[in-house]
Amino acid sequence: MILYICNELSTYLLIAALMFSMGVFGIIHRQTLIGMLISSELILSGASINFMAFNRFLAPDPVVGQVFTLFIMAIAAAEAAIALSIILAVYRNYKSIDVDDMVELKG
Amino acid sequence: MIDNAGLFTAEGLAGLVFLVVIAATLLGAFITIYAKRLIHSVSGLAISFIGVAGIYYYLYSPFVAFMEMLIYVGAVCVTIAFAIMLAEPTSRERTEARGPVTAVMGILVGSVIFWGLASLASNTPWMAAGKRITNGSIGAVGNSLLTTYSMVFELVSVVLIVAIIGSLVLARPGRGR
């Protein structure tokens, strides 16, 4: 019965896998640095959903997954801040955030 | 198993809301990776994060759901929107996709990863914990944050302050240009 899938572990694992692979697709396919950063946020969300699902269904101590997810959130916020300031610095130098324009380091 | 399997019971309505939450999550993620303009992409990301907060609520973690709304929807998405306003060149109309080669490559890699994770998730005989040590409430989370994980907690605050100072240092020079 489709109305009771919120009590199945595999539902959450499938959602997390789908978000993770969508994020990987986005990182490969997006043209700009900000688009790639947004896709990496999707990957982090998928990982967090996995942690929370195992925390709810399998963990003997259901605090660990929540604490880990909170730490993932903090690290993701720090990562987004640093990445955005790097993107702003790149934009000032190249007048572009397109990954195909930044080829000075290409061998 | 629940015997009263109607739609208009409490469990049935909760399941319906859960379907809406899943739809918001996946639709938001789809908008995020397929939108042509970056600001639409960030909007999709915000929708997806709202859905993820709902999923956390269904996983018995209302505190984490609240923090998800506060940090991701309230802070990270708004920061990315500001960065888009500062950095997206609006003069030339541009497409966000990189071309058919990367699209095929991305779909290939993404579907391989999804297939691997999904088959792993459905074929593994997961063993549930015999007995719960804590009940996973907000009080238990706070207790373990300030006792067991207090060192990590402090280190996260150090990381955040380094990130603040570092992003200021990185974004500060060249403002006059």
Short mmCIF file of all heavy atoms in Angstrom, two decimals, chain B residues 60-117:
data_model
loop_
_atom_site.label_atom_id
_atom_site.label_comp_id
_atom_site.label_asym_id
_atom_site.label_seq_id
_atom_site.Cartn_x
_atom_site.Cartn_y
_atom_site.Cartn_z
N TYR B 60 11.15 11.23 12.66
CA TYR B 60 11.07 11.48 14.10
C TYR B 60 12.13 12.46 14.58
O TYR B 60 12.65 12.32 15.67
CB TYR B 60 11.22 10.17 14.90
CG TYR B 60 10.15 9.16 14.64
CD1 TYR B 60 10.31 7.84 15.04
CD2 TYR B 60 8.98 9.51 14.00
CE1 TYR B 60 9.34 6.91 14.80
CE2 TYR B 60 8.00 8.58 13.76
CZ TYR B 60 8.18 7.28 14.15
OH TYR B 60 7.23 6.37 13.90
N SER B 61 12.51 13.44 13.76
CA SER B 61 13.53 14.39 14.19
C SER B 61 13.06 15.81 13.91
O SER B 61 13.56 16.43 12.97
CB SER B 61 14.85 14.12 13.47
OG SER B 61 15.18 12.78 13.57
N PRO B 62 12.12 16.33 14.68
CA PRO B 62 11.61 17.67 14.38
C PRO B 62 12.66 18.76 14.56
O PRO B 62 12.63 19.76 13.84
CB PRO B 62 10.47 17.85 15.38
CG PRO B 62 10.71 16.85 16.43
CD PRO B 62 11.41 15.71 15.79
N PHE B 63 13.63 18.52 15.47
CA PHE B 63 14.67 19.54 15.66
C PHE B 63 15.54 19.66 14.42
O PHE B 63 15.84 20.78 13.97
CB PHE B 63 15.52 19.18 16.89
CG PHE B 63 16.66 20.11 17.12
CD1 PHE B 63 16.43 21.44 17.42
CD2 PHE B 63 17.96 19.66 17.04
CE1 PHE B 63 17.48 22.30 17.63
CE2 PHE B 63 19.01 20.52 17.24
CZ PHE B 63 18.77 21.84 17.54
N VAL B 64 15.94 18.52 13.85
CA VAL B 64 16.77 18.57 12.65
C VAL B 64 15.98 19.15 11.48
O VAL B 64 16.53 19.88 10.66
CB VAL B 64 17.32 17.17 12.33
CG1 VAL B 64 18.23 17.21 11.13
CG2 VAL B 64 18.07 16.63 13.51
N ALA B 65 14.67 18.86 11.42
CA ALA B 65 13.84 19.45 10.37
C ALA B 65 13.82 20.97 10.50
O ALA B 65 13.97 21.70 9.51
CB ALA B 65 12.43 18.89 10.45
N PHE B 66 13.70 21.45 11.73
CA PHE B 66 13.68 22.90 11.96
C PHE B 66 15.02 23.52 11.57
O PHE B 66 15.06 24.58 10.93
CB PHE B 66 13.37 23.15 13.44
CG PHE B 66 13.40 24.58 13.82
CD1 PHE B 66 12.46 25.45 13.32
CD2 PHE B 66 14.36 25.05 14.69
CE1 PHE B 66 12.49 26.77 13.67
CE2 PHE B 66 14.40 26.37 15.04
CZ PHE B 66 13.46 27.23 14.53
N MET B 67 16.13 22.83 11.94
CA MET B 67 17.43 23.37 11.59
C MET B 67 17.64 23.35 10.08
O MET B 67 18.29 24.24 9.53
CB MET B 67 18.55 22.57 12.27
CG MET B 67 18.58 22.71 13.75
SD MET B 67 18.41 24.39 14.29
CE MET B 67 20.07 24.94 14.16
N GLU B 68 17.09 22.34 9.41
CA GLU B 68 17.18 22.29 7.95
C GLU B 68 16.50 23.50 7.33
O GLU B 68 17.06 24.17 6.46
CB GLU B 68 16.53 21.00 7.46
CG GLU B 68 16.38 20.90 5.96
CD GLU B 68 17.56 20.26 5.29
OE1 GLU B 68 18.34 19.63 6.01
OE2 GLU B 68 17.69 20.40 4.08
N MET B 69 15.28 23.82 7.82
CA MET B 69 14.60 25.00 7.30
C MET B 69 15.42 26.26 7.58
O MET B 69 15.60 27.11 6.71
CB MET B 69 13.24 25.16 7.97
CG MET B 69 12.23 24.13 7.59
SD MET B 69 11.77 24.25 5.90
CE MET B 69 10.73 25.67 5.94
N LEU B 70 15.94 26.35 8.81
CA LEU B 70 16.62 27.57 9.23
C LEU B 70 17.94 27.76 8.48
O LEU B 70 18.20 28.84 7.94
CB LEU B 70 16.88 27.49 10.74
CG LEU B 70 17.11 28.78 11.47
CD1 LEU B 70 15.83 29.56 11.47
CD2 LEU B 70 17.52 28.47 12.89
N ILE B 71 18.74 26.69 8.42
CA ILE B 71 20.08 26.85 7.86
C ILE B 71 20.04 26.79 6.34
O ILE B 71 20.55 27.68 5.66
CB ILE B 71 21.03 25.77 8.43
CG1 ILE B 71 21.20 25.97 9.92
CG2 ILE B 71 22.37 25.84 7.75
CD1 ILE B 71 22.01 24.92 10.58
N TYR B 72 19.43 25.72 5.79
CA TYR B 72 19.50 25.56 4.33
C TYR B 72 18.58 26.53 3.62
O TYR B 72 19.01 27.31 2.78
CB TYR B 72 19.15 24.13 3.94
CG TYR B 72 20.33 23.21 4.02
CD1 TYR B 72 20.37 22.16 4.90
CD2 TYR B 72 21.42 23.41 3.19
CE1 TYR B 72 21.46 21.32 4.97
CE2 TYR B 72 22.50 22.59 3.25
CZ TYR B 72 22.51 21.54 4.13
OH TYR B 72 23.58 20.72 4.20
N VAL B 73 17.27 26.49 3.96
CA VAL B 73 16.34 27.35 3.23
C VAL B 73 16.60 28.81 3.59
O VAL B 73 16.57 29.69 2.74
CB VAL B 73 14.90 26.94 3.54
CG1 VAL B 73 13.93 27.75 2.72
CG2 VAL B 73 14.70 25.47 3.27
N GLY B 74 16.85 29.07 4.88
CA GLY B 74 16.96 30.45 5.32
C GLY B 74 18.30 31.07 5.05
O GLY B 74 18.37 32.27 4.80
N ALA B 75 19.37 30.30 5.14
CA ALA B 75 20.69 30.90 5.04
C ALA B 75 21.41 30.54 3.75
O ALA B 75 21.84 31.43 3.01
CB ALA B 75 21.54 30.50 6.24
N VAL B 76 21.53 29.24 3.46
CA VAL B 76 22.37 28.84 2.33
C VAL B 76 21.74 29.28 1.01
O VAL B 76 22.42 29.85 0.14
CB VAL B 76 22.59 27.31 2.37
CG1 VAL B 76 23.28 26.84 1.11
CG2 VAL B 76 23.42 26.94 3.57
N CYS B 77 20.42 29.06 0.86
CA CYS B 77 19.78 29.45 -0.41
C CYS B 77 19.83 30.96 -0.60
O CYS B 77 20.05 31.43 -1.72
CB CYS B 77 18.34 28.96 -0.43
SG CYS B 77 18.22 27.22 -0.78
N VAL B 78 19.62 31.71 0.48
CA VAL B 78 19.65 33.17 0.35
C VAL B 78 21.06 33.64 0.01
O VAL B 78 21.25 34.54 -0.83
CB VAL B 78 19.14 33.81 1.66
CG1 VAL B 78 19.34 35.31 1.63
CG2 VAL B 78 17.68 33.50 1.83
N THR B 79 22.08 32.99 0.61
CA THR B 79 23.46 33.36 0.29
C THR B 79 23.77 33.08 -1.17
O THR B 79 24.40 33.90 -1.85
CB THR B 79 24.43 32.59 1.19
OG1 THR B 79 23.93 32.60 2.51
CG2 THR B 79 25.78 33.19 1.16
N ILE B 80 23.32 31.91 -1.65
CA ILE B 80 23.58 31.59 -3.07
C ILE B 80 22.84 32.57 -3.97
O ILE B 80 23.37 33.00 -5.01
CB ILE B 80 23.17 30.14 -3.35
CG1 ILE B 80 24.06 29.18 -2.57
CG2 ILE B 80 23.31 29.81 -4.82
CD1 ILE B 80 23.67 27.74 -2.69
N ALA B 81 21.62 32.98 -3.57
CA ALA B 81 20.89 33.95 -4.38
C ALA B 81 21.63 35.29 -4.43
O ALA B 81 21.72 35.92 -5.49
CB ALA B 81 19.48 34.14 -3.81
N PHE B 82 22.21 35.70 -3.30
CA PHE B 82 23.01 36.94 -3.31
C PHE B 82 24.21 36.80 -4.22
O PHE B 82 24.54 37.73 -4.97
CB PHE B 82 23.47 37.26 -1.89
CG PHE B 82 22.52 38.14 -1.15
CD1 PHE B 82 21.82 37.67 -0.07
CD2 PHE B 82 22.33 39.44 -1.55
CE1 PHE B 82 20.92 38.46 0.59
CE2 PHE B 82 21.44 40.25 -0.88
CZ PHE B 82 20.74 39.76 0.19
N ALA B 83 24.87 35.64 -4.14
CA ALA B 83 26.06 35.45 -4.99
C ALA B 83 25.67 35.48 -6.46
O ALA B 83 26.42 36.00 -7.29
CB ALA B 83 26.75 34.14 -4.65
N ILE B 84 24.49 34.92 -6.80
CA ILE B 84 24.05 34.97 -8.20
C ILE B 84 23.81 36.40 -8.62
O ILE B 84 24.20 36.83 -9.70
CB ILE B 84 22.79 34.11 -8.39
CG1 ILE B 84 23.15 32.65 -8.26
CG2 ILE B 84 22.16 34.35 -9.73
CD1 ILE B 84 21.96 31.76 -8.21
N MET B 85 23.18 37.20 -7.72
CA MET B 85 22.95 38.59 -8.07
C MET B 85 24.26 39.34 -8.25
O MET B 85 24.36 40.24 -9.09
CB MET B 85 22.13 39.27 -6.97
CG MET B 85 20.68 38.92 -7.03
SD MET B 85 19.82 39.94 -5.86
CE MET B 85 19.30 38.74 -4.70
N LEU B 86 25.30 38.96 -7.48
CA LEU B 86 26.57 39.67 -7.61
C LEU B 86 27.37 39.18 -8.80
O LEU B 86 28.15 39.94 -9.37
CB LEU B 86 27.40 39.49 -6.33
CG LEU B 86 26.92 40.28 -5.14
CD1 LEU B 86 27.70 39.89 -3.92
CD2 LEU B 86 27.07 41.75 -5.39
N ALA B 87 27.22 37.92 -9.16
CA ALA B 87 28.18 37.35 -10.10
C ALA B 87 27.61 36.89 -11.42
O ALA B 87 28.38 36.57 -12.30
CB ALA B 87 28.90 36.17 -9.44
N GLU B 88 26.30 36.80 -11.58
CA GLU B 88 25.82 36.27 -12.85
C GLU B 88 25.85 37.34 -13.91
O GLU B 88 25.25 38.39 -13.75
CB GLU B 88 24.40 35.72 -12.72
CG GLU B 88 24.01 34.93 -13.95
CD GLU B 88 22.62 34.40 -13.85
OE1 GLU B 88 21.79 35.04 -13.19
OE2 GLU B 88 22.36 33.34 -14.43
N PRO B 89 26.56 37.12 -15.00
CA PRO B 89 26.57 38.11 -16.06
C PRO B 89 25.23 38.11 -16.79
O PRO B 89 24.79 37.09 -17.29
CB PRO B 89 27.70 37.65 -16.98
CG PRO B 89 27.93 36.23 -16.64
CD PRO B 89 27.42 35.98 -15.28
N THR B 90 24.59 39.27 -16.79
CA THR B 90 23.26 39.35 -17.39
C THR B 90 23.30 39.90 -18.81
O THR B 90 22.28 39.99 -19.45
CB THR B 90 22.35 40.24 -16.54
OG1 THR B 90 23.03 41.47 -16.33
CG2 THR B 90 22.02 39.59 -15.23
N SER B 91 24.50 40.28 -19.27
CA SER B 91 24.54 40.94 -20.57
C SER B 91 24.21 39.97 -21.69
O SER B 91 23.38 40.25 -22.55
CB SER B 91 25.93 41.54 -20.78
OG SER B 91 26.91 40.53 -20.66
N ARG B 92 24.84 38.82 -21.68
CA ARG B 92 24.57 37.88 -22.77
C ARG B 92 23.70 36.76 -22.25
O ARG B 92 23.87 36.28 -21.14
CB ARG B 92 25.86 37.34 -23.35
CG ARG B 92 26.68 36.54 -22.37
CD ARG B 92 28.07 36.31 -22.95
NE ARG B 92 28.96 35.84 -21.89
CZ ARG B 92 29.37 34.59 -21.81
NH1 ARG B 92 28.97 33.71 -22.66
NH2 ARG B 92 30.19 34.22 -20.85
N GLU B 93 22.77 36.40 -23.08
CA GLU B 93 21.90 35.28 -22.71
C GLU B 93 22.69 34.00 -22.89
O GLU B 93 23.38 33.80 -23.88
CB GLU B 93 20.66 35.29 -23.61
CG GLU B 93 19.50 34.53 -23.06
CD GLU B 93 19.10 35.00 -21.68
OE1 GLU B 93 19.03 36.22 -21.46
OE2 GLU B 93 18.87 34.14 -20.82
N ARG B 94 22.60 33.15 -21.94
CA ARG B 94 23.45 31.97 -22.00
C ARG B 94 22.66 30.74 -21.59
O ARG B 94 21.69 30.82 -20.86
CB ARG B 94 24.62 32.14 -21.06
CG ARG B 94 24.19 32.56 -19.68
CD ARG B 94 25.30 33.26 -19.07
NE ARG B 94 26.49 32.45 -19.29
CZ ARG B 94 26.97 31.68 -18.36
NH1 ARG B 94 26.39 31.63 -17.21
NH2 ARG B 94 28.04 30.97 -18.59
N THR B 95 23.10 29.64 -22.09
CA THR B 95 22.47 28.39 -21.69
C THR B 95 23.30 27.79 -20.58
O THR B 95 24.51 27.92 -20.53
CB THR B 95 22.40 27.41 -22.86
OG1 THR B 95 23.72 27.18 -23.31
CG2 THR B 95 21.57 27.98 -23.98
N GLU B 96 22.61 27.13 -19.69
CA GLU B 96 23.28 26.60 -18.52
C GLU B 96 23.83 25.21 -18.78
O GLU B 96 24.70 24.74 -18.07
CB GLU B 96 22.29 26.61 -17.35
CG GLU B 96 22.79 26.09 -16.05
CD GLU B 96 23.98 26.86 -15.55
OE1 GLU B 96 24.11 28.06 -15.84
OE2 GLU B 96 24.80 26.24 -14.88
N ALA B 97 23.33 24.54 -19.79
CA ALA B 97 23.78 23.18 -20.06
C ALA B 97 25.08 23.20 -20.84
O ALA B 97 25.36 24.14 -21.58
CB ALA B 97 22.73 22.43 -20.84
N ARG B 98 25.91 22.19 -20.68
CA ARG B 98 27.22 22.20 -21.28
C ARG B 98 27.27 21.52 -22.63
O ARG B 98 28.25 21.63 -23.33
CB ARG B 98 28.24 21.52 -20.37
CG ARG B 98 28.48 22.29 -19.12
CD ARG B 98 29.53 21.64 -18.30
NE ARG B 98 30.86 21.92 -18.81
CZ ARG B 98 31.94 21.44 -18.25
NH1 ARG B 98 31.86 20.67 -17.23
NH2 ARG B 98 33.12 21.75 -18.73
N GLY B 99 26.25 20.80 -23.00
CA GLY B 99 26.29 20.13 -24.28
C GLY B 99 25.87 18.69 -24.15
O GLY B 99 25.76 18.17 -23.05
N PRO B 100 25.65 18.05 -25.29
CA PRO B 100 25.11 16.69 -25.24
C PRO B 100 26.09 15.66 -24.68
O PRO B 100 25.67 14.68 -24.08
CB PRO B 100 24.77 16.40 -26.71
CG PRO B 100 25.60 17.34 -27.49
CD PRO B 100 25.78 18.56 -26.65
N VAL B 101 27.39 15.92 -24.87
CA VAL B 101 28.36 14.92 -24.40
C VAL B 101 28.33 14.81 -22.89
O VAL B 101 28.22 13.71 -22.32
CB VAL B 101 29.78 15.29 -24.88
CG1 VAL B 101 30.77 14.26 -24.39
CG2 VAL B 101 29.81 15.38 -26.39
N THR B 102 28.37 15.99 -22.21
CA THR B 102 28.33 15.93 -20.75
C THR B 102 26.97 15.48 -20.25
O THR B 102 26.89 14.88 -19.19
CB THR B 102 28.66 17.30 -20.17
OG1 THR B 102 27.77 18.24 -20.72
CG2 THR B 102 30.07 17.67 -20.45
N ALA B 103 25.90 15.75 -21.03
CA ALA B 103 24.58 15.28 -20.60
C ALA B 103 24.54 13.76 -20.59
O ALA B 103 24.12 13.14 -19.61
CB ALA B 103 23.50 15.84 -21.52
N VAL B 104 25.03 13.16 -21.68
CA VAL B 104 25.04 11.69 -21.74
C VAL B 104 25.94 11.11 -20.66
O VAL B 104 25.58 10.16 -19.95
CB VAL B 104 25.50 11.24 -23.16
CG1 VAL B 104 25.75 9.75 -23.18
CG2 VAL B 104 24.47 11.61 -24.17
N MET B 105 27.11 11.75 -20.49
CA MET B 105 28.05 11.28 -19.46
C MET B 105 27.43 11.38 -18.07
O MET B 105 27.52 10.45 -17.26
CB MET B 105 29.32 12.11 -19.52
CG MET B 105 30.56 11.31 -19.68
SD MET B 105 31.91 12.37 -20.21
CE MET B 105 32.02 13.52 -18.87
N GLY B 106 26.77 12.53 -17.83
CA GLY B 106 26.18 12.73 -16.52
C GLY B 106 25.05 11.76 -16.25
O GLY B 106 24.95 11.19 -15.15
N ILE B 107 24.21 11.52 -17.26
CA ILE B 107 23.11 10.57 -17.07
C ILE B 107 23.66 9.17 -16.83
O ILE B 107 23.20 8.43 -15.96
CB ILE B 107 22.16 10.60 -18.29
CG1 ILE B 107 21.38 11.90 -18.29
CG2 ILE B 107 21.22 9.43 -18.29
CD1 ILE B 107 20.51 12.09 -19.49
N LEU B 108 24.73 8.84 -17.57
CA LEU B 108 25.34 7.52 -17.41
C LEU B 108 25.89 7.35 -16.00
O LEU B 108 25.55 6.38 -15.29
CB LEU B 108 26.46 7.38 -18.45
CG LEU B 108 26.84 5.96 -18.84
CD1 LEU B 108 25.70 5.34 -19.62
CD2 LEU B 108 28.10 5.96 -19.68
N VAL B 109 26.73 8.31 -15.57
CA VAL B 109 27.34 8.19 -14.24
C VAL B 109 26.28 8.22 -13.15
O VAL B 109 26.29 7.41 -12.21
CB VAL B 109 28.37 9.34 -14.04
CG1 VAL B 109 28.90 9.32 -12.62
CG2 VAL B 109 29.50 9.19 -15.00
N GLY B 110 25.31 9.14 -13.30
CA GLY B 110 24.27 9.25 -12.29
C GLY B 110 23.44 7.99 -12.19
O GLY B 110 23.14 7.51 -11.10
N SER B 111 23.09 7.40 -13.36
CA SER B 111 22.25 6.20 -13.27
C SER B 111 23.03 5.01 -12.76
O SER B 111 22.47 4.16 -12.06
CB SER B 111 21.60 5.90 -14.62
OG SER B 111 22.54 5.98 -15.64
N VAL B 112 24.34 4.96 -13.06
CA VAL B 112 25.14 3.86 -12.51
C VAL B 112 25.21 3.97 -10.99
O VAL B 112 25.01 2.98 -10.27
CB VAL B 112 26.56 3.87 -13.13
CG1 VAL B 112 27.50 3.02 -12.30
CG2 VAL B 112 26.51 3.34 -14.53
N ILE B 113 25.42 5.20 -10.50
CA ILE B 113 25.49 5.40 -9.05
C ILE B 113 24.14 5.08 -8.42
O ILE B 113 24.06 4.40 -7.39
CB ILE B 113 25.93 6.84 -8.74
CG1 ILE B 113 27.39 7.01 -9.06
CG2 ILE B 113 25.69 7.16 -7.27
CD1 ILE B 113 27.88 8.40 -8.87
N PHE B 114 23.06 5.54 -9.06
CA PHE B 114 21.73 5.26 -8.51
C PHE B 114 21.44 3.77 -8.50
O PHE B 114 20.92 3.23 -7.51
CB PHE B 114 20.65 5.99 -9.31
CG PHE B 114 19.27 5.65 -8.87
CD1 PHE B 114 18.80 6.09 -7.64
CD2 PHE B 114 18.44 4.86 -9.64
CE1 PHE B 114 17.53 5.75 -7.22
CE2 PHE B 114 17.18 4.53 -9.22
CZ PHE B 114 16.73 4.98 -8.00
N TRP B 115 21.82 3.08 -9.59
CA TRP B 115 21.57 1.64 -9.65
C TRP B 115 22.35 0.92 -8.55
O TRP B 115 21.81 0.05 -7.86
CB TRP B 115 21.97 1.11 -11.02
CG TRP B 115 21.82 -0.36 -11.14
CD1 TRP B 115 20.67 -1.05 -11.30
CD2 TRP B 115 22.87 -1.31 -11.05
NE1 TRP B 115 20.95 -2.39 -11.33
CE2 TRP B 115 22.29 -2.57 -11.17
CE3 TRP B 115 24.26 -1.22 -10.87
CZ2 TRP B 115 23.03 -3.75 -11.13
CZ3 TRP B 115 25.00 -2.37 -10.84
CH2 TRP B 115 24.38 -3.63 -10.96
N GLY B 116 23.61 1.33 -8.37
CA GLY B 116 24.42 0.68 -7.33
C GLY B 116 23.84 0.90 -5.96
O GLY B 116 23.65 -0.05 -5.18
N LEU B 117 23.51 2.16 -5.64
CA LEU B 117 22.99 2.46 -4.30
C LEU B 117 21.65 1.79 -4.08
O LEU B 117 21.37 1.26 -3.00
CB LEU B 117 22.87 3.97 -4.12
CG LEU B 117 24.18 4.73 -3.94
CD1 LEU B 117 23.90 6.20 -3.84
CD2 LEU B 117 24.90 4.26 -2.71
#
